[in-house]
Amino acid sequence: MTTRSARRVPVARRLEDVALELFATQGFDETTVDELALAGGVGRRTFFRYFPTKLDVVLGELDDGLAALASVLREEPGDDPVAAARAAFLAVNHYADAELPALRRRLGLIEDVPELAARATVRYRDWEQTLATDAAARWGTDPASLRAQVFGRAVVAAMRAVFSAWHVRPEADAAALGALVEEAFDALARGFSSP
């Protein structure tokens, strides 16, 4: 299993790292794209080749995570969407210890910067729909059905709660994150495993 950063283009990863550091020290709104490009050792045009906006430096990881989640879900067997989603979220949230500081900064920004929080919520809709579609296929029902839609939204809400709980525990490591994912899915399984 590869870590998250190993799946990123090296230039994009470097830009993300320096951006998250600058956002943490200077503030998101106070940091300019020119400062991000300079700190990342690239020009402004190169920065925009990797990230269409400053917001995407923080939120682009959500898009990558969604693509990975969809890929893992397609490979998961069985008719239990809770088991499939559990396996998928554990797989796509595999972090090396060296990646945890950047993850904490990203989570803090998404929770504390209103514009990032709002944009993240819009992107979470794609996560919800991906999970609803997968659950519907496993149940043999319509993805637009209330049951599938509730499932998708409940799983995303649970994972957001997991990351919030992990973020506020500075001593928590990657294993603790995995344990919280497991705990959340144990709770979800009690509500979604039976028809």
Side-chain angles (χ1 to χ4, degrees):
M1 185 180 297
T2 60
T3 62
R4 294 290 282 247
S5 67
R7 297 191 295 258
R8 302 287 287 159
V9 175
V11 174
R13 190 169 60 240
R14 183 176 72 244
L15 288 169
E16 285 177 342
D17 289 344
V18 298
L20 291 171
E21 181 67 34
L22 284 174
F23 294 153
T25 57
Q26 295 180 183
F28 180 80
D29 292 328
E30 293 75 18
T31 305
T32 68
V33 169
D34 289 331
E35 288 173 313
L36 297 175
L38 181 63
V42 300
R44 184 180 174 89
R45 285 177 42 184
T46 301
F47 176 88
F48 285 122
R49 212 174 297 142
Y50 290 98
F51 301 103
T53 70
K54 188 169 71 167
L55 294 166
D56 291 303
V57 179
V58 179
L59 300 178
E61 179 85 3
L62 293 178
D63 298 335
D64 294 343
L66 176 58
L69 182 81
S71 177
V72 174
L73 283 172
R74 282 193 296 274
E75 300 300 318
E76 282 300 312
D79 59 2
D80 181 358
V82 176
R86 178 194 302 258
F89 273 95
L90 286 169
V92 301
N93 287 297
H94 179 74
Y95 292 93
D97 288 339
E99 297 171 303
L100 297 181
L103 175 61
R104 284 188 192 286
R105 287 187 199 106
R106 185 183 313 278
L107 293 172
L109 288 163
I110 290 172
E111 291 203 358
D112 296 338
V113 177
E115 187 177 8
L116 283 167
R119 293 288 182 95
T121 299
V122 171
R123 290 187 184 198
Y124 291 141
R125 289 182 195 152
D126 292 333
W127 288 71
E128 292 166 353
Q129 193 54 48
T130 296
L131 289 157
T133 300
D134 179 76
R138 292 175 195 278
W139 286 328
T141 189
D142 183 349
S145 71
L146 181 60
R147 185 178 189 213
Q149 291 297 311
V150 167
F151 177 80
R153 290 178 189 210
V155 170
V156 171
M159 291 305 96
R160 290 179 70 183
V162 161
F163 278 102
S164 291
W166 181 84
H167 175 253
V168 298
R169 294 172 47 199
E171 77 287 354
D173 59 8
L177 178 59
L180 288 170
V181 170
E182 292 277 15
E183 183 181 342
F185 274 102
D186 287 345
L188 288 169
R190 288 190 292 274
F192 286 103
S193 288
S194 60

